[in-house]
Amino acid sequence: MKEIILGLGSNKSYNGKSCVELLSDACHDLTTLLENVIVSSVYRTKAMYVTNQDDFYNMAVMGYVPEDYNPFLLLEEIHKIEAKYGRDREKEIRFGPRSLDIDIEVFGKDVINTPDLQIPHIRFEERAFVLIPMLELLEESSDDLLREKCEKCLAVLESAGATKDVEKCISSQDFHFPTGGIYGTDGK
C-alpha cells in the first residue's frame, strides 16, 4: 500500500455549510478513495499569496491506496469532490477564496512533474499551514525521511516567523466526520 497525504483548505462557505463543515464532508468523501484515513487537527491560518481574503481552515488527511493506484485518477476524483462543494476552477482567482481545496502533498515515494500534477507538491515546503498538520500525521507514519524533511522545513519557517499565523482551532480528536461534531470555532 502507498501512503498518501492530502492537504485540505477552505475559506468560503458553500450551500449553507461552513468551512469546517465542508472539510468534514470532504473527509467523509475521501474515505471512499483512501483506506485507513486519519485526520490532523484543523488550523486557522492567514491567506498566503493573495492576502486580502478571509482566513483559511486547513488540515491534512493521510490514508492508503494500492501500490498500482494511479495518482492521476486520484487527482480526478479529488477535483470531483472539490466541485461537489462549490469549487469552480474556471471562475476562481488563483490563490483566491475557495470553498474547498485539496492538494496531493505526497503519494508514496512517487515523483511526478507534469503540467497537471506535481508530486511531492511543489509548495508544501514553504507552507506552515501544510507542514504543521502533516507532521501531526507523520507521527503515525513509518516514513522517517519525510518526517525529518518536514521538521527541517518547519524549523526554517519558524525561524523566519512564518508560523505565527497558524493557530490550531480544532484538535483531531474533536474533528468528526461524516456526521459532523464539535467544531469549537465559528468555522465561517
Side-chain angles (χ1 to χ4, degrees):
M1 298 291 280
K2 285 189 179 182
E3 186 175 85
I4 309 301
I5 300 178
L6 306 174
L8 284 71
S10 176
N11 77 334
K12 185 170 93 173
S13 62
Y14 174 72
N15 210 19
K17 293 192 176 201
S18 72
C19 297
V20 173
E21 290 170 320
L22 293 170
L23 293 174
S24 176
D25 288 350
C27 287
H28 170 69
D29 290 356
L30 289 169
T31 64
T32 66
L33 303 176
L34 306 174
E35 295 182 30
N36 301 319
V37 170
I38 60 171
V39 299
S40 73
S41 300
V42 177
Y43 294 83
R44 187 173 179 158
T45 62
K46 300 287 183 200
M48 283 183 78
Y49 315 115
V50 177
T51 57
N52 187 20
Q53 59 181 311
D54 288 339
D55 290 349
F56 275 85
Y57 292 85
N58 294 101
M59 65 183 303
V61 170
M62 183 168 67
Y64 298 85
V65 296
E67 286 291 329
D68 61 349
Y69 194 87
N70 183 328
F72 290 93
L73 177 59
L74 179 61
L75 181 65
E76 184 180 308
E77 294 301 317
I78 284 170
H79 284 175
K80 289 177 187 176
I81 293 170
E82 289 174 333
K84 177 180 176 180
Y85 297 110
R87 182 154 189 195
D88 185 342
R89 291 176 175 272
E90 292 180 11
K91 294 182 180 177
E92 71 185 22
I93 299 167
R94 182 164 169 81
F95 302 122
R98 48 203 174 270
S99 54
L100 184 63
D101 182 30
I102 304 174
D103 291 331
I104 302 172
E105 305 297 346
V106 177
F107 193 94
K109 302 278 186 215
D110 291 13
V111 176
I112 298 172
N113 190 8
T114 69
D116 294 330
L117 183 59
Q118 297 84 40
I119 297 176
H121 193 282
I122 59 173
R123 284 181 293 281
F124 90 86
E125 295 176 12
E126 68 187 42
R127 296 174 166 177
F129 66 84
V130 172
L131 290 168
I132 292 171
M134 270 181 71
L135 280 165
E136 267 188 53
L137 299 179
L138 288 170
E139 291 176 8
E140 305 296 324
S141 170
S142 61
D143 194 337
D144 293 333
L145 292 176
L146 179 59
R147 184 173 39 255
E148 289 172 15
K149 179 179 182 176
C150 290
E151 287 170 348
K152 287 178 185 175
C153 292
L154 187 59
V156 169
L157 293 176
E158 285 174 341
S159 67
T163 60
K164 65 180 174 19
D165 292 328
V166 180
E167 172 192 351
K168 184 188 288 189
C169 60
I170 306 167
S171 73
S172 59
Q173 295 83 11
D174 291 335
F175 181 81
H176 301 286
F177 62 95
T179 59
I182 303 166
Y183 294 124
T185 69
D186 59 342
K188 286 193 183 181

